[in-house]
Amino acid sequence: MTLSLFDRPAALFLPASNPRAIVKARESAADLVILDLEDAVKPEDKESARTAAVEAVAEGWPMPVAIRINSARTEWHGPDVVAMMHSKVEMIVVPRAEARDELSFVRNQTGRPIAAMIETAKGVLAANEIAHEAAALIAGTNDLSADLRLPRGAGRAPLQMALQSIVLAARAANIAVFDGVFNRLDDEDGFAAEAAEGRELGFDGKSLIHPSQIKRCHAAFAPAEEDVARAKRLVAAATGGAERFEGEMVEAMHVEAARRLLARASRA
């Protein structure tokens, strides 16, 4: 099964235990919805959330829907995998991935593509191997900050090497890669700034925790009008090899990048 995620920047997470959130997600402009069975669900609600997620993916959705199962290091992992085997879910999200075989087990059992969440130091160091078993990588910045023992308020500066490593692993494997969540729901400017930073780092999109973040996510990851206009001029002017274009030296790789940007703009 092939599920292209390169042009789906807004990945909305929501607890599968919340029926109202599921209804809102289905009606939203999210590009990908991820029904969560892990962190967002209380232990006593795990079974009912699993049932709700399986029932939800059996219904019609205007966008792809994935389910984040519980980690292999929990008691809920096995029942989650069995439930995924008998569901209509399009993709499975594996949290706290630290080894390639964790993904291959779930993929082989379910026959579904896997998105791996990189949320620990071990996961970052293994990201290259993990990426070659995955359909996408997702940076779990909250858990990663905790695993690295960063002090509260440290921000993203100490995460830069880890974030760049995750992007590099995804690009080497030619798969999509998503930035982590922004926790402050009332800080719209802060979200916009972090989303723009994620785009500059090379992420294809961002994990979201509320539908209110979707519009700004799309704005951050959509090609700017001036970039689209320049890309059109470059493609039209290119004759092959190294040449001068609007005061800069360009080569075939620049033309290829311009074509990718135009393709993305046409699908936005």
Side-chain angles (χ1 to χ4, degrees):
M1 177 181 180
T2 301
L3 177 62
S4 176
L5 298 172
F6 288 109
D7 300 307
R8 298 188 176 277
L12 177 63
F13 281 77
L14 64 142
S17 55
N18 187 333
R20 189 163 173 263
I22 292 176
V23 171
K24 285 190 172 183
R26 184 183 281 111
E27 298 171 348
S28 76
D31 301 301
L32 171 68
V33 168
I34 302 171
L35 304 177
D36 191 18
L37 304 182
E38 197 219 11
D39 283 348
V41 178
K42 298 176 182 178
E44 61 268 27
D45 294 333
K46 294 289 188 182
E47 291 189 16
S48 60
R50 185 187 305 126
T51 300
V54 171
E55 291 176 351
V57 297
E59 302 172 3
W61 287 75
M63 71 286 285
V65 185
I67 295 177
R68 177 165 72 168
I69 62 175
N70 287 280
S71 165
R73 290 164 283 280
T74 70
E75 63 188 277
W76 305 290
H77 180 72
D80 285 352
V81 172
V82 172
M84 297 308 101
M85 292 167 59
H86 302 288
S87 76
K88 293 185 178 180
V89 68
E90 296 178 76
M91 183 173 70
I92 298 169
V93 179
V94 174
R96 299 181 69 85
E98 295 183 343
R100 182 173 183 168
D101 58 3
E102 295 176 17
L103 275 64
S104 59
F105 171 78
V106 177
R107 183 175 57 79
N108 291 338
Q109 292 295 316
T110 65
R112 307 302 202 284
I114 308 297
M117 295 201 67
I118 308 300
E119 304 182 83
T120 65
K122 285 184 179 180
V124 172
L125 294 178
N128 187 52
E129 289 298 314
I130 292 169
H132 285 84
E133 195 69 33
L137 296 183
I138 303 172
T141 45
N142 284 338
D143 283 71
L144 184 56
S145 294
D147 193 57
L148 296 178
R149 304 178 188 177
L150 302 183
R152 183 177 181 275
R156 283 164 60 97
L159 294 176
Q160 292 302 297
M161 179 178 178
L163 294 175
Q164 291 170 349
S165 296
I166 294 168
V167 172
L168 283 169
R171 291 291 168 256
N174 193 31
I175 61 174
V177 58
F178 294 86
D179 198 358
V181 301
F182 184 80
N183 298 310
R184 300 190 299 277
L185 288 175
D186 296 330
D187 186 358
E188 297 178 354
D189 291 339
F191 176 87
E194 186 171 292
E197 180 201 55
R199 179 68 189 94
E200 291 176 355
L201 284 171
F203 284 100
D204 295 301
K206 188 166 181 62
S207 308
L208 312 179
I209 56 175
H210 195 275
S212 64
Q213 297 175 327
I214 295 172
K215 183 177 180 179
R216 285 175 177 77
C217 181
H218 283 154
F221 286 90
E225 290 184 8
E226 58 268 29
D227 292 335
V228 173
R230 183 182 184 280
K232 288 180 179 178
R233 296 195 303 271
L234 174 55
V235 170
T239 59
E243 54 192 320
R244 188 182 182 90
F245 173 76
E246 297 184 0
E248 298 180 16
M249 289 302 298
V250 298
E251 301 176 16
M253 63 180 179
H254 299 103
V255 179
E256 182 181 350
R259 290 196 174 106
R260 283 199 305 270
L261 186 148
L262 293 175
R264 180 165 189 151
S266 69
R267 293 190 288 267

PDB file of all heavy atoms in Angstrom, residues 92-128:
ATOM      1  N   ILE A  92      -0.217   3.000  10.349  1.00  0.00           N
ATOM      2  CA  ILE A  92      -0.053   2.839  11.790  1.00  0.00           C
ATOM      3  C   ILE A  92       1.141   3.664  12.243  1.00  0.00           C
ATOM      4  O   ILE A  92       2.206   3.638  11.622  1.00  0.00           O
ATOM      5  CB  ILE A  92       0.156   1.359  12.160  1.00  0.00           C
ATOM      6  CG1 ILE A  92      -1.079   0.553  11.755  1.00  0.00           C
ATOM      7  CG2 ILE A  92       0.429   1.197  13.647  1.00  0.00           C
ATOM      8  CD1 ILE A  92      -0.881  -0.940  11.825  1.00  0.00           C
ATOM      9  N   VAL A  93       0.957   4.404  13.318  1.00  0.00           N
ATOM     10  CA  VAL A  93       2.032   5.206  13.891  1.00  0.00           C
ATOM     11  C   VAL A  93       2.589   4.474  15.112  1.00  0.00           C
ATOM     12  O   VAL A  93       1.849   4.140  16.031  1.00  0.00           O
ATOM     13  CB  VAL A  93       1.531   6.603  14.298  1.00  0.00           C
ATOM     14  CG1 VAL A  93       2.667   7.415  14.925  1.00  0.00           C
ATOM     15  CG2 VAL A  93       0.955   7.334  13.092  1.00  0.00           C
ATOM     16  N   VAL A  94       3.888   4.212  15.086  1.00  0.00           N
ATOM     17  CA  VAL A  94       4.567   3.515  16.175  1.00  0.00           C
ATOM     18  C   VAL A  94       5.320   4.532  17.026  1.00  0.00           C
ATOM     19  O   VAL A  94       6.219   5.215  16.527  1.00  0.00           O
ATOM     20  CB  VAL A  94       5.547   2.455  15.636  1.00  0.00           C
ATOM     21  CG1 VAL A  94       6.366   1.845  16.769  1.00  0.00           C
ATOM     22  CG2 VAL A  94       4.782   1.364  14.902  1.00  0.00           C
ATOM     23  N   PRO A  95       4.971   4.668  18.298  1.00  0.00           N
ATOM     24  CA  PRO A  95       5.639   5.653  19.153  1.00  0.00           C
ATOM     25  C   PRO A  95       6.980   5.143  19.687  1.00  0.00           C
ATOM     26  O   PRO A  95       7.229   3.940  19.717  1.00  0.00           O
ATOM     27  CB  PRO A  95       4.642   5.843  20.296  1.00  0.00           C
ATOM     28  CG  PRO A  95       4.001   4.497  20.432  1.00  0.00           C
ATOM     29  CD  PRO A  95       3.900   3.959  19.023  1.00  0.00           C
ATOM     30  N   ARG A  96       7.827   6.083  20.070  1.00  0.00           N
ATOM     31  CA  ARG A  96       9.101   5.779  20.735  1.00  0.00           C
ATOM     32  C   ARG A  96       9.888   4.685  20.008  1.00  0.00           C
ATOM     33  O   ARG A  96      10.452   3.770  20.616  1.00  0.00           O
ATOM     34  CB  ARG A  96       8.853   5.380  22.195  1.00  0.00           C
ATOM     35  CG  ARG A  96       8.189   6.478  23.004  1.00  0.00           C
ATOM     36  CD  ARG A  96       7.963   6.087  24.448  1.00  0.00           C
ATOM     37  NE  ARG A  96       9.222   5.992  25.175  1.00  0.00           N
ATOM     38  CZ  ARG A  96       9.847   7.033  25.744  1.00  0.00           C
ATOM     39  NH1 ARG A  96       9.328   8.241  25.656  1.00  0.00           N
ATOM     40  NH2 ARG A  96      10.975   6.879  26.403  1.00  0.00           N
ATOM     41  N   ALA A  97       9.928   4.789  18.691  1.00  0.00           N
ATOM     42  CA  ALA A  97      10.662   3.802  17.896  1.00  0.00           C
ATOM     43  C   ALA A  97      12.159   3.919  18.165  1.00  0.00           C
ATOM     44  O   ALA A  97      12.714   5.023  18.141  1.00  0.00           O
ATOM     45  CB  ALA A  97      10.379   4.004  16.415  1.00  0.00           C
ATOM     46  N   GLU A  98      12.781   2.786  18.407  1.00  0.00           N
ATOM     47  CA  GLU A  98      14.220   2.776  18.701  1.00  0.00           C
ATOM     48  C   GLU A  98      14.984   1.728  17.905  1.00  0.00           C
ATOM     49  O   GLU A  98      16.208   1.674  17.982  1.00  0.00           O
ATOM     50  CB  GLU A  98      14.440   2.548  20.197  1.00  0.00           C
ATOM     51  CG  GLU A  98      13.915   3.702  21.068  1.00  0.00           C
ATOM     52  CD  GLU A  98      14.196   3.511  22.543  1.00  0.00           C
ATOM     53  OE1 GLU A  98      14.498   2.359  22.948  1.00  0.00           O
ATOM     54  OE2 GLU A  98      14.103   4.502  23.298  1.00  0.00           O
ATOM     55  N   ALA A  99      14.275   0.900  17.143  1.00  0.00           N
ATOM     56  CA  ALA A  99      14.936  -0.129  16.359  1.00  0.00           C
ATOM     57  C   ALA A  99      14.086  -0.463  15.140  1.00  0.00           C
ATOM     58  O   ALA A  99      12.851  -0.411  15.192  1.00  0.00           O
ATOM     59  CB  ALA A  99      15.169  -1.386  17.190  1.00  0.00           C
ATOM     60  N   ARG A 100      14.755  -0.817  14.074  1.00  0.00           N
ATOM     61  CA  ARG A 100      14.062  -1.118  12.815  1.00  0.00           C
ATOM     62  C   ARG A 100      13.111  -2.298  12.964  1.00  0.00           C
ATOM     63  O   ARG A 100      12.025  -2.299  12.376  1.00  0.00           O
ATOM     64  CB  ARG A 100      15.110  -1.403  11.734  1.00  0.00           C
ATOM     65  CG  ARG A 100      14.551  -1.681  10.362  1.00  0.00           C
ATOM     66  CD  ARG A 100      15.659  -1.783   9.334  1.00  0.00           C
ATOM     67  NE  ARG A 100      15.136  -1.988   7.993  1.00  0.00           N
ATOM     68  CZ  ARG A 100      15.865  -1.893   6.882  1.00  0.00           C
ATOM     69  NH1 ARG A 100      17.153  -1.589   6.976  1.00  0.00           N
ATOM     70  NH2 ARG A 100      15.318  -2.099   5.701  1.00  0.00           N
ATOM     71  N   ASP A 101      13.493  -3.299  13.750  1.00  0.00           N
ATOM     72  CA  ASP A 101      12.659  -4.497  13.847  1.00  0.00           C
ATOM     73  C   ASP A 101      11.339  -4.232  14.562  1.00  0.00           C
ATOM     74  O   ASP A 101      10.377  -4.983  14.398  1.00  0.00           O
ATOM     75  CB  ASP A 101      13.414  -5.658  14.502  1.00  0.00           C
ATOM     76  CG  ASP A 101      13.934  -5.327  15.901  1.00  0.00           C
ATOM     77  OD1 ASP A 101      13.662  -4.229  16.399  1.00  0.00           O
ATOM     78  OD2 ASP A 101      14.609  -6.198  16.488  1.00  0.00           O
ATOM     79  N   GLU A 102      11.257  -3.165  15.369  1.00  0.00           N
ATOM     80  CA  GLU A 102       9.981  -2.805  15.978  1.00  0.00           C
ATOM     81  C   GLU A 102       8.955  -2.472  14.901  1.00  0.00           C
ATOM     82  O   GLU A 102       7.778  -2.839  15.002  1.00  0.00           O
ATOM     83  CB  GLU A 102      10.145  -1.599  16.906  1.00  0.00           C
ATOM     84  CG  GLU A 102      11.025  -1.849  18.119  1.00  0.00           C
ATOM     85  CD  GLU A 102      11.217  -0.578  18.939  1.00  0.00           C
ATOM     86  OE1 GLU A 102      10.430   0.383  18.765  1.00  0.00           O
ATOM     87  OE2 GLU A 102      12.161  -0.540  19.727  1.00  0.00           O
ATOM     88  N   LEU A 103       9.408  -1.770  13.872  1.00  0.00           N
ATOM     89  CA  LEU A 103       8.520  -1.396  12.777  1.00  0.00           C
ATOM     90  C   LEU A 103       8.206  -2.582  11.877  1.00  0.00           C
ATOM     91  O   LEU A 103       7.061  -2.767  11.460  1.00  0.00           O
ATOM     92  CB  LEU A 103       9.151  -0.274  11.947  1.00  0.00           C
ATOM     93  CG  LEU A 103       8.930   1.151  12.435  1.00  0.00           C
ATOM     94  CD1 LEU A 103       9.583   1.382  13.791  1.00  0.00           C
ATOM     95  CD2 LEU A 103       9.436   2.150  11.423  1.00  0.00           C
ATOM     96  N   SER A 104       9.227  -3.375  11.571  1.00  0.00           N
ATOM     97  CA  SER A 104       9.008  -4.501  10.662  1.00  0.00           C
ATOM     98  C   SER A 104       8.029  -5.503  11.250  1.00  0.00           C
ATOM     99  O   SER A 104       7.212  -6.091  10.526  1.00  0.00           O
ATOM    100  CB  SER A 104      10.335  -5.193  10.320  1.00  0.00           C
ATOM    101  OG  SER A 104      10.983  -5.668  11.484  1.00  0.00           O
ATOM    102  N   PHE A 105       8.051  -5.677  12.578  1.00  0.00           N
ATOM    103  CA  PHE A 105       7.102  -6.590  13.216  1.00  0.00           C
ATOM    104  C   PHE A 105       5.673  -6.106  12.989  1.00  0.00           C
ATOM    105  O   PHE A 105       4.806  -6.872  12.552  1.00  0.00           O
ATOM    106  CB  PHE A 105       7.384  -6.696  14.712  1.00  0.00           C
ATOM    107  CG  PHE A 105       6.318  -7.449  15.466  1.00  0.00           C
ATOM    108  CD1 PHE A 105       6.271  -8.832  15.435  1.00  0.00           C
ATOM    109  CD2 PHE A 105       5.335  -6.751  16.174  1.00  0.00           C
ATOM    110  CE1 PHE A 105       5.265  -9.525  16.117  1.00  0.00           C
ATOM    111  CE2 PHE A 105       4.336  -7.434  16.854  1.00  0.00           C
ATOM    112  CZ  PHE A 105       4.299  -8.821  16.820  1.00  0.00           C
ATOM    113  N   VAL A 106       5.422  -4.826  13.263  1.00  0.00           N
ATOM    114  CA  VAL A 106       4.068  -4.282  13.104  1.00  0.00           C
ATOM    115  C   VAL A 106       3.647  -4.307  11.639  1.00  0.00           C
ATOM    116  O   VAL A 106       2.513  -4.665  11.299  1.00  0.00           O
ATOM    117  CB  VAL A 106       3.987  -2.854  13.669  1.00  0.00           C
ATOM    118  CG1 VAL A 106       2.606  -2.253  13.435  1.00  0.00           C
ATOM    119  CG2 VAL A 106       4.322  -2.846  15.159  1.00  0.00           C
ATOM    120  N   ARG A 107       4.562  -3.927  10.756  1.00  0.00           N
ATOM    121  CA  ARG A 107       4.226  -3.914   9.323  1.00  0.00           C
ATOM    122  C   ARG A 107       3.927  -5.316   8.808  1.00  0.00           C
ATOM    123  O   ARG A 107       2.964  -5.527   8.060  1.00  0.00           O
ATOM    124  CB  ARG A 107       5.374  -3.295   8.523  1.00  0.00           C
ATOM    125  CG  ARG A 107       5.086  -3.169   7.030  1.00  0.00           C
ATOM    126  CD  ARG A 107       6.204  -2.448   6.302  1.00  0.00           C
ATOM    127  NE  ARG A 107       7.479  -3.110   6.486  1.00  0.00           N
ATOM    128  CZ  ARG A 107       7.867  -4.198   5.813  1.00  0.00           C
ATOM    129  NH1 ARG A 107       7.056  -4.758   4.928  1.00  0.00           N
ATOM    130  NH2 ARG A 107       9.056  -4.724   6.016  1.00  0.00           N
ATOM    131  N   ASN A 108       4.727  -6.291   9.211  1.00  0.00           N
ATOM    132  CA  ASN A 108       4.519  -7.660   8.745  1.00  0.00           C
ATOM    133  C   ASN A 108       3.226  -8.252   9.286  1.00  0.00           C
ATOM    134  O   ASN A 108       2.548  -9.034   8.610  1.00  0.00           O
ATOM    135  CB  ASN A 108       5.706  -8.545   9.138  1.00  0.00           C
ATOM    136  CG  ASN A 108       6.972  -8.186   8.387  1.00  0.00           C
ATOM    137  OD1 ASN A 108       6.916  -7.587   7.320  1.00  0.00           O
ATOM    138  ND2 ASN A 108       8.118  -8.535   8.949  1.00  0.00           N
ATOM    139  N   GLN A 109       2.895  -7.883  10.516  1.00  0.00           N
ATOM    140  CA  GLN A 109       1.678  -8.419  11.125  1.00  0.00           C
ATOM    141  C   GLN A 109       0.415  -7.796  10.533  1.00  0.00           C
ATOM    142  O   GLN A 109      -0.606  -8.467  10.393  1.00  0.00           O
ATOM    143  CB  GLN A 109       1.698  -8.176  12.643  1.00  0.00           C
ATOM    144  CG  GLN A 109       2.749  -8.977  13.399  1.00  0.00           C
ATOM    145  CD  GLN A 109       2.480 -10.467  13.344  1.00  0.00           C
ATOM    146  OE1 GLN A 109       1.366 -10.946  13.516  1.00  0.00           O
ATOM    147  NE2 GLN A 109       3.520 -11.238  13.079  1.00  0.00           N
ATOM    148  N   THR A 110       0.482  -6.517  10.201  1.00  0.00           N
ATOM    149  CA  THR A 110      -0.721  -5.796   9.779  1.00  0.00           C
ATOM    150  C   THR A 110      -0.818  -5.540   8.286  1.00  0.00           C
ATOM    151  O   THR A 110      -1.905  -5.286   7.769  1.00  0.00           O
ATOM    152  CB  THR A 110      -0.799  -4.438  10.493  1.00  0.00           C
ATOM    153  OG1 THR A 110       0.305  -3.613  10.059  1.00  0.00           O
ATOM    154  CG2 THR A 110      -0.742  -4.614  12.011  1.00  0.00           C
ATOM    155  N   GLY A 111       0.327  -5.556   7.608  1.00  0.00           N
ATOM    156  CA  GLY A 111       0.323  -5.233   6.186  1.00  0.00           C
ATOM    157  C   GLY A 111       0.103  -3.759   5.898  1.00  0.00           C
ATOM    158  O   GLY A 111      -0.212  -3.374   4.774  1.00  0.00           O
ATOM    159  N   ARG A 112       0.300  -2.904   6.881  1.00  0.00           N
ATOM    160  CA  ARG A 112       0.086  -1.460   6.726  1.00  0.00           C
ATOM    161  C   ARG A 112       1.415  -0.718   6.738  1.00  0.00           C
ATOM    162  O   ARG A 112       2.371  -1.144   7.398  1.00  0.00           O
ATOM    163  CB  ARG A 112      -0.786  -0.908   7.861  1.00  0.00           C
ATOM    164  CG  ARG A 112      -2.104  -1.597   8.092  1.00  0.00           C
ATOM    165  CD  ARG A 112      -3.020  -1.603   6.888  1.00  0.00           C
ATOM    166  NE  ARG A 112      -4.409  -1.799   7.265  1.00  0.00           N
ATOM    167  CZ  ARG A 112      -4.943  -2.959   7.629  1.00  0.00           C
ATOM    168  NH1 ARG A 112      -4.202  -4.046   7.674  1.00  0.00           N
ATOM    169  NH2 ARG A 112      -6.235  -3.032   7.934  1.00  0.00           N
ATOM    170  N   PRO A 113       1.488   0.429   6.039  1.00  0.00           N
ATOM    171  CA  PRO A 113       2.682   1.272   6.146  1.00  0.00           C
ATOM    172  C   PRO A 113       2.789   1.835   7.560  1.00  0.00           C
ATOM    173  O   PRO A 113       1.777   2.020   8.250  1.00  0.00           O
ATOM    174  CB  PRO A 113       2.449   2.372   5.112  1.00  0.00           C
ATOM    175  CG  PRO A 113       0.973   2.385   4.898  1.00  0.00           C
ATOM    176  CD  PRO A 113       0.495   0.988   5.103  1.00  0.00           C
ATOM    177  N   ILE A 114       4.016   2.127   7.964  1.00  0.00           N
ATOM    178  CA  ILE A 114       4.285   2.556   9.332  1.00  0.00           C
ATOM    179  C   ILE A 114       4.938   3.934   9.338  1.00  0.00           C
ATOM    180  O   ILE A 114       5.867   4.201   8.575  1.00  0.00           O
ATOM    181  CB  ILE A 114       5.232   1.568  10.042  1.00  0.00           C
ATOM    182  CG1 ILE A 114       4.722   0.128   9.926  1.00  0.00           C
ATOM    183  CG2 ILE A 114       5.425   1.967  11.497  1.00  0.00           C
ATOM    184  CD1 ILE A 114       3.397  -0.122  10.575  1.00  0.00           C
ATOM    185  N   ALA A 115       4.435   4.797  10.216  1.00  0.00           N
ATOM    186  CA  ALA A 115       5.127   6.053  10.527  1.00  0.00           C
ATOM    187  C   ALA A 115       5.780   5.884  11.886  1.00  0.00           C
ATOM    188  O   ALA A 115       5.136   5.425  12.834  1.00  0.00           O
ATOM    189  CB  ALA A 115       4.159   7.224  10.543  1.00  0.00           C
ATOM    190  N   ALA A 116       7.051   6.213  11.978  1.00  0.00           N
ATOM    191  CA  ALA A 116       7.798   6.019  13.225  1.00  0.00           C
ATOM    192  C   ALA A 116       7.996   7.342  13.932  1.00  0.00           C
ATOM    193  O   ALA A 116       8.451   8.324  13.337  1.00  0.00           O
ATOM    194  CB  ALA A 116       9.150   5.386  12.927  1.00  0.00           C
ATOM    195  N   MET A 117       7.653   7.369  15.215  1.00  0.00           N
ATOM    196  CA  MET A 117       7.906   8.554  16.015  1.00  0.00           C
ATOM    197  C   MET A 117       9.281   8.438  16.671  1.00  0.00           C
ATOM    198  O   MET A 117       9.571   7.457  17.355  1.00  0.00           O
ATOM    199  CB  MET A 117       6.819   8.736  17.073  1.00  0.00           C
ATOM    200  CG  MET A 117       5.453   8.999  16.461  1.00  0.00           C
ATOM    201  SD  MET A 117       4.309   9.802  17.600  1.00  0.00           S
ATOM    202  CE  MET A 117       5.065  11.423  17.801  1.00  0.00           C
ATOM    203  N   ILE A 118      10.113   9.440  16.444  1.00  0.00           N
ATOM    204  CA  ILE A 118      11.448   9.491  17.021  1.00  0.00           C
ATOM    205  C   ILE A 118      11.361  10.375  18.253  1.00  0.00           C
ATOM    206  O   ILE A 118      11.238  11.603  18.153  1.00  0.00           O
ATOM    207  CB  ILE A 118      12.473  10.031  16.016  1.00  0.00           C
ATOM    208  CG1 ILE A 118      12.384   9.262  14.696  1.00  0.00           C
ATOM    209  CG2 ILE A 118      13.867   9.961  16.611  1.00  0.00           C
ATOM    210  CD1 ILE A 118      12.660   7.770  14.818  1.00  0.00           C
ATOM    211  N   GLU A 119      11.416   9.753  19.439  1.00  0.00           N
ATOM    212  CA  GLU A 119      11.116  10.462  20.676  1.00  0.00           C
ATOM    213  C   GLU A 119      12.158  10.268  21.770  1.00  0.00           C
ATOM    214  O   GLU A 119      11.962  10.747  22.892  1.00  0.00           O
ATOM    215  CB  GLU A 119       9.760   9.998  21.215  1.00  0.00           C
ATOM    216  CG  GLU A 119       8.623  10.151  20.218  1.00  0.00           C
ATOM    217  CD  GLU A 119       7.293   9.736  20.798  1.00  0.00           C
ATOM    218  OE1 GLU A 119       6.675  10.555  21.485  1.00  0.00           O
ATOM    219  OE2 GLU A 119       6.881   8.574  20.568  1.00  0.00           O
ATOM    220  N   THR A 120      13.237   9.565  21.456  1.00  0.00           N
ATOM    221  CA  THR A 120      14.268   9.309  22.459  1.00  0.00           C
ATOM    222  C   THR A 120      15.648   9.472  21.838  1.00  0.00           C
ATOM    223  O   THR A 120      15.794   9.490  20.612  1.00  0.00           O
ATOM    224  CB  THR A 120      14.148   7.874  23.017  1.00  0.00           C
ATOM    225  OG1 THR A 120      14.424   6.944  21.953  1.00  0.00           O
ATOM    226  CG2 THR A 120      12.759   7.601  23.590  1.00  0.00           C
ATOM    227  N   ALA A 121      16.653   9.557  22.710  1.00  0.00           N
ATOM    228  CA  ALA A 121      18.027   9.631  22.209  1.00  0.00           C
ATOM    229  C   ALA A 121      18.375   8.394  21.394  1.00  0.00           C
ATOM    230  O   ALA A 121      19.000   8.488  20.331  1.00  0.00           O
ATOM    231  CB  ALA A 121      18.986   9.774  23.389  1.00  0.00           C
ATOM    232  N   LYS A 122      17.944   7.218  21.859  1.00  0.00           N
ATOM    233  CA  LYS A 122      18.189   5.984  21.094  1.00  0.00           C
ATOM    234  C   LYS A 122      17.522   6.049  19.727  1.00  0.00           C
ATOM    235  O   LYS A 122      18.076   5.597  18.723  1.00  0.00           O
ATOM    236  CB  LYS A 122      17.674   4.781  21.876  1.00  0.00           C
ATOM    237  CG  LYS A 122      18.532   4.368  23.062  1.00  0.00           C
ATOM    238  CD  LYS A 122      17.976   3.105  23.706  1.00  0.00           C
ATOM    239  CE  LYS A 122      18.834   2.660  24.879  1.00  0.00           C
ATOM    240  NZ  LYS A 122      18.291   1.426  25.520  1.00  0.00           N
ATOM    241  N   GLY A 123      16.312   6.601  19.699  1.00  0.00           N
ATOM    242  CA  GLY A 123      15.600   6.706  18.440  1.00  0.00           C
ATOM    243  C   GLY A 123      16.304   7.620  17.459  1.00  0.00           C
ATOM    244  O   GLY A 123      16.390   7.316  16.264  1.00  0.00           O
ATOM    245  N   VAL A 124      16.835   8.741  17.941  1.00  0.00           N
ATOM    246  CA  VAL A 124      17.566   9.654  17.063  1.00  0.00           C
ATOM    247  C   VAL A 124      18.790   8.964  16.480  1.00  0.00           C
ATOM    248  O   VAL A 124      19.061   9.049  15.277  1.00  0.00           O
ATOM    249  CB  VAL A 124      17.974  10.931  17.829  1.00  0.00           C
ATOM    250  CG1 VAL A 124      18.909  11.790  16.966  1.00  0.00           C
ATOM    251  CG2 VAL A 124      16.738  11.735  18.220  1.00  0.00           C
ATOM    252  N   LEU A 125      19.537   8.263  17.329  1.00  0.00           N
ATOM    253  CA  LEU A 125      20.753   7.591  16.855  1.00  0.00           C
ATOM    254  C   LEU A 125      20.447   6.447  15.901  1.00  0.00           C
ATOM    255  O   LEU A 125      21.280   6.083  15.072  1.00  0.00           O
ATOM    256  CB  LEU A 125      21.558   7.082  18.051  1.00  0.00           C
ATOM    257  CG  LEU A 125      22.134   8.172  18.961  1.00  0.00           C
ATOM    258  CD1 LEU A 125      22.882   7.554  20.137  1.00  0.00           C
ATOM    259  CD2 LEU A 125      23.055   9.113  18.181  1.00  0.00           C
ATOM    260  N   ALA A 126      19.232   5.886  15.984  1.00  0.00           N
ATOM    261  CA  ALA A 126      18.840   4.782  15.103  1.00  0.00           C
ATOM    262  C   ALA A 126      17.957   5.246  13.951  1.00  0.00           C
ATOM    263  O   ALA A 126      17.445   4.420  13.185  1.00  0.00           O
ATOM    264  CB  ALA A 126      18.117   3.702  15.901  1.00  0.00           C
ATOM    265  N   ALA A 127      17.755   6.555  13.814  1.00  0.00           N
ATOM    266  CA  ALA A 127      16.788   7.083  12.849  1.00  0.00           C
ATOM    267  C   ALA A 127      17.078   6.641  11.419  1.00  0.00           C
ATOM    268  O   ALA A 127      16.152   6.393  10.639  1.00  0.00           O
ATOM    269  CB  ALA A 127      16.744   8.607  12.933  1.00  0.00           C
ATOM    270  N   ASN A 128      18.339   6.539  11.046  1.00  0.00           N
ATOM    271  CA  ASN A 128      18.675   6.149   9.676  1.00  0.00           C
ATOM    272  C   ASN A 128      18.168   4.751   9.359  1.00  0.00           C
ATOM    273  O   ASN A 128      17.579   4.509   8.294  1.00  0.00           O
ATOM    274  CB  ASN A 128      20.186   6.225   9.461  1.00  0.00           C
ATOM    275  CG  ASN A 128      20.567   5.993   8.010  1.00  0.00           C
ATOM    276  OD1 ASN A 128      20.042   6.643   7.118  1.00  0.00           O
ATOM    277  ND2 ASN A 128      21.471   5.056   7.775  1.00  0.00           N
TER     278      ASN A 128
END
